[in-house]
Amino acid sequence: SLALIHRTGVYRYNGPGYQPAFRRDSSFDSRWAGPDDHLHALTEDNQGNVWIVYGDRTEILSRSENGYQFSSPDALRLRNEGTAVVDVFVEDSGVAWIAYGDDVLRYDPVQERSYDYYFQALVRRVSPLGERWNVFGGSSPAHTPGDEDGTRTARPTPRLVYDYNDLRFEVAAPSYNDPGRNEFQYFLERHDAEWSAWTSEPAVEYTNLREGAYTLRVRARNGQGYESTEAMYRFTVLPPWYRAWWAYLAYVSLFIAVAALSVHYRRMRRDNIKAQQQARELALERVVNERLTLVNDRLRQADLLKDQLLSNTSHELRTPITAILGFTSVLKDEAPQNLQEFLDIIEENGRRLMRTVTSMVDFARLQAGVIELNREPVEISREVEQVVSRLTHLARKRQLFFELVQPQDLVHAWLDKKCLERIVENLLSNAIKFTEEGGVTVRVSVDDDSVYVRVQDTGIGMNSDFMPDLFQAFKQESSGLTRTHEGSGLGLAITARLVELMDGEIDVKSSKGEGTVVTVSFPVFYVAQLERRAGARAVIRKSSA
């Protein structure tokens, strides 16, 4: 019968007695592999056997009582290379002729052979590219002929220097049925990601191999599509000399040596710099000491001259000033009334000059440390009250209020009475002198540890910039032609040094145009607990114009 081969199946032509048409023969559907399994030819021989030729095999369907029996002879296993099968012709004897591409294949089923047999791929030769000598040449490198009893021993792994890291591997496959169609696959461990494509080339080359251990795996496939067992060839590429272990050891040793030399050099340089610096410091210290000695000698001479000057000044000025003040007092008793104004001016300026000389002498004595304190328990309130009484007339003269606030208990401190009077007098004199309106308040207070004398005025105050120089000798906020108040600038300097000598503290708070508050504190000296004064907690004595 006539058959038609189509991608959807096999179709038969209905013969006489039927309506002429091609109908699909479903008896072949179970052997239809799908769209990728190309069917090239189909024929039926005189015995009723059906021959189906696919791209990679030929299947024979023999008739039986229950249908067909399928068989695929090894001799008719073909490679699916896209070669078209033109036709199939089967003789009465069962010999088949297959037109395959440009070739004609003859198949005799009487001489049936199996090509699915064991064979092993072989590595025949390994040689460096461009060299005439071989790293290996022979049979499979996995084993070598062994002892007489037939055992085999492992072949030692070749170790190749880095200069010979370009290698050519030649292989073979002992399959001799159409050996020209044998194919090979290669896979170099540590180099390839996957097996290569099948190739008929029995050799492969690898170049620029890095150092390390490698294994070349080779497998072959014969013309009938059966694969061999793998052959393996192990070898090691040694690193170049500059990456060898002894080279790294040399690098480490060299680095350590350089580091040691660098540390030694830096230490020597640091020592030299330190020695030079010490020499310069010694020379500088020697020069500075010589200069300081010279300056100290000059300062001692200046202090001596100053002391002599102050001593001479106090002697030379006190005597005539005392005479002037004395004669002025006599003249005031005997001179007519129209001369009294001039005598008052002479007396006032004489006393001012006497206070200046006294302050200069006292400051010089404080600087020289020759003042001797006569310390005793001093009742603070009484001494402050006496000073306030002496200066009340100055406040009244300037039309200022003058008040004293005292605690109800008597409070003692271990002080020099004259020094305390001088401290309070200097503070009150300054407060009265620098107050134009308002007045001055003196407050004596006490807590568990200290007794306080606070002098507060409503005067002109001071700028914050002048506060650091407040206790410096001869320092005044207004000086030169802009000076607005008399004074030598020694009062607060003497006061601060006297307070320090008697273990006290002095604190000043002032704002320009708002007045000044000066607080002096001394440690409390407990002589006895005196009776509380009767009346209110504080006695306030006021003096106003």
Side-chain angles (χ1 to χ4, degrees):
S1 62
L2 180 63
L4 175 66
I5 302 171
H6 189 263
R7 64 181 180 84
T8 59
V10 177
Y11 294 83
R12 289 183 179 273
Y13 182 75
N14 294 330
Y18 295 93
Q19 182 179 358
F22 281 96
R23 298 184 181 278
R24 184 172 179 177
D25 189 345
S26 61
S27 60
F28 299 99
D29 288 350
S30 62
R31 302 299 295 175
W32 199 258
D36 294 333
D37 198 357
H38 302 289
L39 190 152
H40 293 296
L42 182 146
T43 188
E44 187 176 20
D45 61 17
N46 294 332
Q47 284 76 31
N49 300 322
V50 179
W51 297 64
I52 303 176
V53 182
Y54 295 96
D56 61 347
R57 68 191 184 279
T58 298
E59 294 186 354
I60 302 174
L61 284 66
S62 302
R63 286 186 177 276
S64 64
E65 295 180 358
N66 298 325
Y68 290 101
Q69 293 182 354
F70 297 90
S71 64
S72 180
D74 289 339
L76 296 180
R77 293 178 64 88
L78 305 174
R79 294 186 193 169
N80 189 359
E81 297 178 342
T83 303
V85 175
V86 177
D87 198 2
V88 178
F89 175 74
V90 183
E91 297 178 355
D92 293 340
S93 62
V95 175
W97 298 83
I98 302 175
Y100 184 77
D102 295 334
D103 300 328
V104 176
L105 305 180
R106 180 181 182 276
Y107 170 68
D108 187 354
V110 178
Q111 299 179 4
E112 174 66 22
R113 297 176 60 186
S114 174
Y115 296 94
D116 184 13
Y117 60 87
Y118 170 84
F119 69 99
Q120 181 181 11
L122 300 176
V123 178
R124 298 178 53 248
R125 182 180 294 109
V126 180
S127 61
L129 293 179
E131 301 293 332
R132 295 184 177 180
W133 55 275
N134 296 329
V135 175
F136 168 77
S139 61
S140 172
H143 299 86
T144 57
D147 300 331
E148 296 179 354
D149 59 359
T151 60
R152 295 179 179 270
T153 58
R155 178 180 296 276
T157 302
R159 298 165 62 86
L160 306 177
V161 297
Y162 194 74
D163 292 341
Y164 302 117
N165 63 343
D166 299 333
L167 298 175
R168 175 182 173 84
F169 301 87
E170 299 179 14
V171 299
S175 178
Y176 303 107
N177 184 62
D178 197 2
R181 298 175 63 189
N182 291 342
E183 293 181 327
F184 304 92
Q185 261 189 327
Y186 307 97
F187 178 73
L188 183 61
E189 295 181 355
R190 294 189 68 251
H191 183 274
D192 295 334
E194 58 185 10
W195 283 87
S196 68
W198 287 102
T199 176
S200 60
E201 181 64 33
V204 65
E205 295 179 355
Y206 289 96
T207 59
N208 296 322
L209 294 177
R210 296 281 296 179
E211 62 269 20
Y214 294 89
T215 300
L216 177 66
R217 298 167 59 186
V218 182
R219 58 190 179 190
R221 184 174 67 177
N222 61 18
Q224 287 69 43
Y226 291 104
E227 295 185 5
S228 70
T229 58
E230 290 185 9
M232 292 188 296
Y233 180 79
R234 296 183 178 89
F235 64 96
T236 300
V237 177
L238 298 177
W241 66 267
Y242 51 85
R243 285 206 295 264
W245 66 268
W246 54 267
Y248 286 110
L249 180 61
Y251 299 152
V252 172
S253 301
L254 181 61
F255 175 78
I256 294 175
V258 171
L261 289 175
S262 177
V263 171
H264 180 67
Y265 171 75
R266 287 198 298 267
R267 184 182 295 112
M268 290 182 59
R269 184 179 180 186
R270 184 174 62 250
D271 293 342
N272 290 335
I273 294 175
K274 186 176 181 180
Q276 294 175 3
Q277 184 177 1
Q278 289 177 350
R280 288 194 296 267
E281 290 177 354
L282 290 175
L284 179 62
E285 184 178 358
R286 183 169 60 255
V287 173
V288 170
N289 289 336
E290 292 176 356
R291 298 284 180 85
L292 289 177
T293 301
L294 180 61
V295 172
N296 288 334
D297 292 341
R298 291 180 178 177
L299 288 176
R300 282 193 291 269
Q301 294 176 3
D303 286 340
L304 180 61
L305 292 176
K306 181 190 68 174
D307 294 340
Q308 292 177 354
L309 175 63
L310 291 176
S311 177
N312 293 334
T313 300
S314 64
H315 178 72
E316 295 297 330
L317 292 180
R318 281 176 181 271
T319 300
I321 292 174
T322 302
I324 291 172
L325 292 176
F327 286 118
T328 300
S329 178
V330 173
L331 289 174
K332 288 180 68 176
D333 295 336
E334 297 181 359
Q337 188 64 33
N338 58 348
L339 298 178
Q340 291 295 323
E341 180 180 359
F342 300 105
L343 292 175
D344 290 339
I345 294 174
I346 293 173
E347 183 179 27
E348 180 180 355
N349 284 278
R351 294 188 181 281
R352 176 182 173 185
L353 184 57
M354 179 63 77
R355 288 195 299 270
T356 301
V357 172
T358 301
S359 296
M360 292 176 61
V361 173
D362 291 344
F363 183 76
R365 294 175 63 194
L366 286 171
Q367 286 287 88
V370 297
I371 290 183
E372 295 182 0
L373 299 179
N374 183 22
R375 301 179 71 168
E376 58 181 328
V378 177
E379 206 286 304
I380 300 295
S381 297
R382 183 174 59 191
E383 299 302 327
V384 172
E385 184 178 1
Q386 291 178 0
V387 178
V388 169
S389 299
R390 288 201 302 268
L391 300 180
T392 299
H393 70 284
L394 294 178
R396 185 182 298 112
K397 183 178 180 180
R398 297 176 63 89
Q399 297 182 353
L400 304 173
F401 72 81
F402 201 36
E403 64 180 4
L404 171 63
V405 180
Q406 297 175 286
Q408 59 185 3
D409 295 330
L410 299 178
V411 181
H412 292 76
W414 188 255
L415 306 174
D416 185 296
K417 185 183 297 185
K418 292 183 179 181
C419 291
L420 176 62
E421 292 178 357
R422 183 67 180 275
I423 291 171
V424 177
E425 184 176 351
N426 286 345
L427 295 180
L428 294 181
S429 299
N430 276 350
I432 295 172
K433 179 170 63 175
F434 291 103
T435 302
E436 302 294 339
E437 296 180 354
V440 178
T441 300
V442 184
R443 184 182 301 274
V444 179
S445 60
V446 65
D447 58 19
D448 294 339
D449 300 318
S450 302
V451 57
Y452 303 91
V453 178
R454 182 175 290 107
V455 178
Q456 181 175 0
D457 62 60
T458 59
I460 61 175
M462 292 175 286
N463 288 321
S464 59
D465 296 340
F466 179 69
M467 298 297 290
D469 299 327
L470 182 61
F471 298 114
Q472 298 294 323
F474 305 105
K475 288 281 187 177
Q476 288 184 308
E477 187 175 12
S478 60
S479 59
L481 298 177
T482 61
R483 184 175 178 183
T484 57
H485 295 82
E486 65 179 29
S488 61
L490 291 174
L492 286 179
I494 294 173
T495 299
R497 282 161 177 76
L498 290 176
V499 171
E500 184 180 357
L501 282 177
M502 294 189 293
D503 304 323
E505 295 180 358
I506 185 169
D507 177 70
V508 180
K509 292 181 176 60
S510 182
S511 299
K512 195 68 175 179
E514 297 181 3
T516 303
V517 179
V518 183
T519 304
V520 177
S521 62
F522 298 102
V524 174
F525 183 82
Y526 293 98
V527 178
Q529 184 66 35
L530 303 178
E531 295 182 357
R532 293 182 177 272
R533 296 181 182 179
R537 288 176 56 85
V539 176
I540 302 177
R541 299 186 180 184
K542 298 184 179 180
S543 299
S544 59

